[in-house]
Amino acid sequence: MERKSKLTIAIVVAGLAVLGAAAVHARDAQDKYSLKSPSGIAFSDFRGYEDWSVVSSARTDEVLKVIVANPTMIKAYKSGIPGNGQPFPEGSMIAKLQWKPKKSTEAPFVVDVPDVFKQAFLMEKDSKRFAKSGGWGYAVFNYEAASDKFTADANSPSDCGYACHTPVKAKDYIFHPYQKR
């Protein structure tokens, strides 16, 4: 009987260890989706952004950018927004994904390619929540390659991009048009 109790205890302890490891792995795997910006914009609202359609791309001296949008916003782009003077619908979301560039060592010509991922700059259309910033909320999530973790940028209130985006107010605060394919 004592042997059976020890075996049962060993099985329970092993099971708890496996469950604990699984919970830690799940927490780490879902870490970015538990983040919220200082203004309350949740990274989880942008779940699946990795597979959203490309709107455009851009480059500065510091970063390569790929701009992607959720299906709601892509549908609006294809219907002529913002060129037709209409605003993007509620629930539109756009993400500007930014990488540090590097020179390709494989291409037979000079070309910059993405190197280290740096940041996800997110915009969410919710005219009630973000009335003071043209109906758009802004959030920045920085990525640290060494730790493989995202963090909410502490200096990123919901209107952090508003000042930069006011020059394109007539385009519903969006710089990038949906590029011809």
Side-chain angles (χ1 to χ4, degrees), residues 149-167:
K149 299 281 184 196
F150 282 87
T151 56
D153 190 313
N155 300 318
S156 175
S158 69
D159 62 352
C160 70
Y162 181 61
C164 290
H165 285 246
T166 54

Side-chain angles (χ1 to χ4, degrees), residues 125-142:
K125 182 74 177 261
D126 185 330
S127 297
K128 289 182 180 140
R129 279 178 63 199
F130 309 115
K132 292 180 183 177
S133 54
W136 290 96
Y138 303 83
V140 176
F141 294 93
N142 298 314

Side-chain angles (χ1 to χ4, degrees), residues 40-117:
I41 293 175
F43 206 145
S44 61
D45 290 347
F46 292 78
R47 189 178 302 275
Y49 73 93
E50 302 92 341
D51 298 320
W52 289 355
S53 294
V54 172
V55 171
S56 186
S57 64
R59 186 188 193 306
T60 68
D61 289 339
E62 294 84 31
V63 292
L64 296 173
K65 305 174 185 188
V66 174
I67 296 87
V68 298
N70 71 348
T72 300
M73 194 157 179
I74 293 295
K75 183 178 177 185
Y77 268 123
K78 289 181 177 181
S79 75
I81 294 171
N84 62 10
Q86 298 297 310
F88 285 96
E90 297 294 308
S92 291
M93 295 181 182
I94 194 164
K96 180 172 49 175
L97 310 174
Q98 302 182 127
W99 288 264
K100 180 180 176 187
K102 69 177 182 178
K103 299 287 182 206
S104 172
T105 58
E106 299 167 331
F109 47 86
V110 177
V111 63
D112 285 340
V113 294
D115 186 16
V116 178
F117 189 75

